[in-house]
Amino acid sequence: MGKIVRDPNDKSSWKQLLLFCPVILAKPKRGGARRNLSNIINRRVQEWDNDSEHTVQSQTNRASRGKKSDNSSLAAAVTSKLEAGNFKAAVRIICSTDTPKQADKDTWETLRTKHPDPPTDSRAPCDPKGNQHFDPLQVSKENVMKALRSFPLGSSGGPDGLTPQHITDLLSGATDDSFQQVLVDFVNLLLAGSIDKEVSAIVFGGRLIALSKKDGGVRPITVGYTLRRLAAKCANNHVIERRSKALQPQQLGVGVAGGAEAAVHAARRLVSNLPDGHVIVKLDFSNAFNCIRRDLILEAIAATSPEIYCLVYSAYACEPILAFGDWEILSREGAQQGDPLGSLQFCEALYPLLCDLQSTVKIGFMDDVTLSGSLQTVEQDVITITDAAPKTGLQLNTDKCEVIMEDFTGLPTSSVFNSFVRVEKAEMTLLGSPVLKGTAQDAAISHKIDELEKAVDRLSLLHSHDALVLLKNSLAMPKLVYTLRTSDCSDNPLLAQFDSTLRTALSAILNVDLNDDQWIQASLPVRNGGLGIRSAQMLASSAFLASAASTLELQQSILPTSIQTLVDKSTETAEITWAALSAVNKPVGQQCCIQKAWDGPVSANQATRMLSSTSNDTDKARLLAASSPHTGDWLHAPPIASVGLRLSDEAVRVAVAHRLGCKACVPHTCVCGKAVSARGLHGLACRRSGPRHQRHSQLNDILWRSFKRAQVPAVKEPPGLSRDDGKRPDGVTLLPWAKGKPLAWDVTVPDTYADSHLADTATTAGAAADKAASNKEAKYRQLANSHIFVPVAIETAGTWNNQAVELVQELGRRMTAVTEDTRETTYLFQRLSVALQRGNAVSFHSTFTTE
């Protein structure tokens, strides 16, 4: 890369760069116990330095010993993506019905038709060389690192196989910043457009993947080279805020927070007050991104964002090569897929046409265009768009265009809308969301229920922890929340069916039986003592009101003055439902734009009702502990086995049962002779339970390793600090921690439900932890002169003492100073929480005899 920075047109240096990953990082053949990846990489690097001609070895896979079933392959693929932290990819595998098409000539021919040739009257782009107007953007290290961090975890590499994670690992393992500086210089080289067309055709190309669609068609997916995408992200980050503001309100597709939601809210208010003789049309373009004229894109970028024009010119002045198996396709027209700048380029090219239209309402969301106004005006605008096709490259697909109006009998037989699909107001959807209550809303929710049922069938193939995390973060409420935010569903009875499906799925995944109270608790946010598997009925009004308020200003800019002044009746209805759920006054000011400000009182009200209706001290202690800070951190932990964050199926079942108060076992007698109830809480503090010591040791080991990660040397059970009875603290730092004194700590895990603590923990959350911490301080009082002593008391229900929380926060801050990862504190809390639940599960099982 450094050679290219010095001489951008050195072909041999480009060849070395593009072959580096296929040669050095190629997946080795499966070997025996002596196979060492580090040695393999080191040997390849040595061979690379000694060989001027580098060849890519073909990757031959050994024959499978046994053919895996489709279910096994699916589960393995999802687990692999979760291990890499790529939740989006895991969800796509679970939900998608698309399958990769074979890389054969027939598929190549189909893909070729989706990449048209440029028109014969295509205008030659302006060459930026020597033109000061196009002085290229040059970015700093901070800009490049920000762009690199914006890649999703597990992002794929281009044809060369280089992924964003490869670059991140190389940077984190560097002993100086020389590689970082070369990377910045290389990005600036791409931004300056300093490479010739032959190299540009490769660098701005990509790897083409074909997916089978339900209708039998083919969906092309392009993955560009990572270094090209990195440069494009830097350019996009620089201009997106300024350009998104300039494109509003006609174009909401790039860089507009809540743009899609604002469009749907505005459409609802519009269709509810549609004047006589007015229509709404939804326009669909055929293969829009691949057909938009490239000369139009270049002219738009030159006029609006000249500082990034050199990069765009370099990408489009050539004919980028898209590799599909053994075939190639030249990208000669349209905004390239896989380019982070592609959406902005398309919107910039389409924007002048939107401005020329005369309709009262014009809503563009990338290639989705919605117009409204009088019949004659909108009809003329559609004719304008059709006539502009030679200039824009965009052809209307009238089979998918829709027209919505109050009375279709007023539509002339000669109207251009006669070839459009006629849609009743109650059936109208926009950007994937129903606009009004009625058949469209019912169909949308029913579709979400069907999707959830299909996803649950697949989730049953996974580990319980994997399935719970995906259900909580991706497949349950996250799949429905967009509909809830854009359409007033608060009184739709189908939400009860969605919740029932979700409850059944949760019981099946976790192997627990949930009664009504336990389901209500499970549906609360984790901060309120739940599992975060949100109830649609509970969340619907809060989501809709927050979205309507946060996008109000944007809605007003879209709508005509005659509608801006009218009261939105949907929000009034939703506010009544919300008031009944929350029993407090609604948020005001900027708070009304935040969903948590609406949802928080509803969840808190439900949690309060549950606590006030409980007379049992055990349940009171459980509910108080569950809603305390950090008791539910294990529910936020990604299930990554390689770092010890995945819980076994049984550990998840026990943890959920203890948190919700479910039956965890059949009543029996412990090995110590005491009776164990159906909740199985006795094992958490049984004196005969050996795993209690393992739980303590694991928590202490995590803390000790964290001190080392923060570059603070520490030892466990240090000699020389023994009391008269021979007992020592669990650990001590070998460097001063604060005020010139080293830190000593001692871990203890008091039982929230022990008879000696229950009266206090049923009244005050964390009472057992505070009491245990006070005992530890008294026990090691003599260390106060030479050390800073911190007791780390974590109850079996997960509640912490304040000093332990402060220690972990400070330890996380120091680890962040070393690793520059701002999530260190969060990860440390999660590791400790997962270790606690794992230890609790083992302690629970220790009560069973072998007879």
Side-chain angles (χ1 to χ4, degrees), residues 458-631:
R458 294 187 172 189
L459 286 178
S460 62
L461 306 172
L462 308 180
H463 294 290
S464 293
H465 197 180
D466 294 350
L468 177 61
V469 169
L470 288 176
L471 187 69
K472 168 180 173 289
N473 295 314
S474 304
L475 297 178
M477 199 49 55
K479 286 288 187 180
L480 182 64
V481 72
Y482 173 68
T483 302
L484 297 183
R485 285 179 64 86
T486 52
S487 183
D488 180 18
C489 309
S490 54
D491 57 352
N492 194 310
L494 286 173
L495 293 186
Q497 184 179 342
F498 183 91
D499 285 349
S500 177
T501 304
L502 193 55
R503 176 176 172 177
T504 302
L506 192 62
S507 294
I509 289 170
L510 301 177
N511 190 21
V512 293
D513 184 21
L514 300 174
N515 60 31
D516 291 342
D517 289 338
Q518 290 159 357
W519 160 244
I520 291 175
Q521 184 184 349
S523 65
L524 292 174
V526 175
R527 65 178 180 275
N528 293 111
L531 298 182
I533 308 292
R534 304 307 313 280
S535 160
Q537 290 177 298
M538 191 186 302
L539 186 64
S541 57
S542 299
F544 178 77
L545 291 169
S547 177
S550 63
T551 61
L552 181 59
E553 183 178 349
L554 190 52
Q555 295 176 47
Q556 299 293 74
S557 67
I558 295 171
L559 294 170
T561 306
S562 58
I563 296 180
Q564 291 177 10
T565 56
L566 298 178
V567 176
D568 189 351
K569 295 182 179 179
S570 294
T571 57
E572 291 184 336
T573 304
E575 285 181 4
I576 294 173
T577 304
W578 178 84
L581 291 172
S582 63
V584 297
N585 295 328
K586 68 178 184 179
V588 296
Q590 288 298 316
Q591 287 295 308
C592 69
C593 301
I594 304 172
Q595 184 171 310
K596 186 176 179 180
W598 293 93
D599 180 42
V602 174
S603 301
N605 187 38
Q606 290 289 344
T608 301
R609 286 181 181 179
M610 292 184 62
L611 185 62
S612 60
S613 64
T614 300
S615 57
N616 185 293
D617 281 351
T618 300
D619 283 330
K620 287 183 178 179
R622 175 178 59 80
L623 291 172
L624 287 173
S627 57
S628 298
H630 303 296
T631 56

Side-chain angles (χ1 to χ4, degrees), residues 261-304:
E261 294 179 8
V264 180
H265 285 299
R268 183 190 70 253
R269 297 170 62 189
L270 176 66
V271 75
S272 300
N273 302 278
L274 193 64
D276 293 337
H278 279 228
V279 297
I280 300 174
V281 296
K282 292 168 52 184
L283 304 179
D284 182 85
F285 297 102
S286 300
N287 198 20
F289 269 71
N290 282 337
C291 290
I292 188 79
R293 287 186 58 146
R294 195 162 283 183
D295 53 3
L296 196 62
I297 291 175
L298 287 165
E299 290 168 0
I301 295 297
T304 61

Side-chain angles (χ1 to χ4, degrees), residues 188-210:
N188 284 327
L189 178 72
L190 293 179
L191 290 171
S194 301
I195 55 180
D196 62 25
K197 288 186 178 181
E198 184 180 355
V199 175
S200 294
I202 298 173
V203 174
F204 292 100
R207 177 165 53 95
L208 194 59
I209 302 170

Side-chain angles (χ1 to χ4, degrees), residues 74-92:
L74 175 70
V78 173
T79 300
S80 175
K81 294 301 182 183
L82 290 175
E83 279 290 330
N86 192 347
F87 279 63
K88 289 185 178 180
V91 172
R92 281 198 298 269

Side-chain angles (χ1 to χ4, degrees), residues 16 96 110 155 216 229 281 289 461 468 525 544 646 665 715 806:
Q16 285 185 320
S96 178
T110 304
S155 293
R229 288 148 60 197
V281 296
F289 269 71
L461 306 172
L468 177 61
F544 178 77
R646 174 180 281 119
C665 62
V715 295
E806 293 172 358

Side-chain angles (χ1 to χ4, degrees), residues 332-381:
R332 308 183 66 191
E333 192 70 354
Q336 278 190 320
Q337 293 179 341
D339 181 2
L341 279 170
S343 297
L344 176 63
Q345 293 166 5
F346 181 90
C347 293
E348 293 280 20
L350 183 61
Y351 179 71
L353 177 60
L354 293 178
C355 292
D356 290 341
L357 304 181
Q358 301 303 311
S359 294
T360 307
V361 174
K362 299 175 288 187
I363 304 174
F365 194 87
M366 289 190 281
D367 59 335
D368 290 299
V369 176
T370 303
L371 305 176
S372 180
S374 66
L375 178 62
Q376 295 77 14
T377 302
V378 177
E379 187 173 28
Q380 183 57 50
D381 281 346

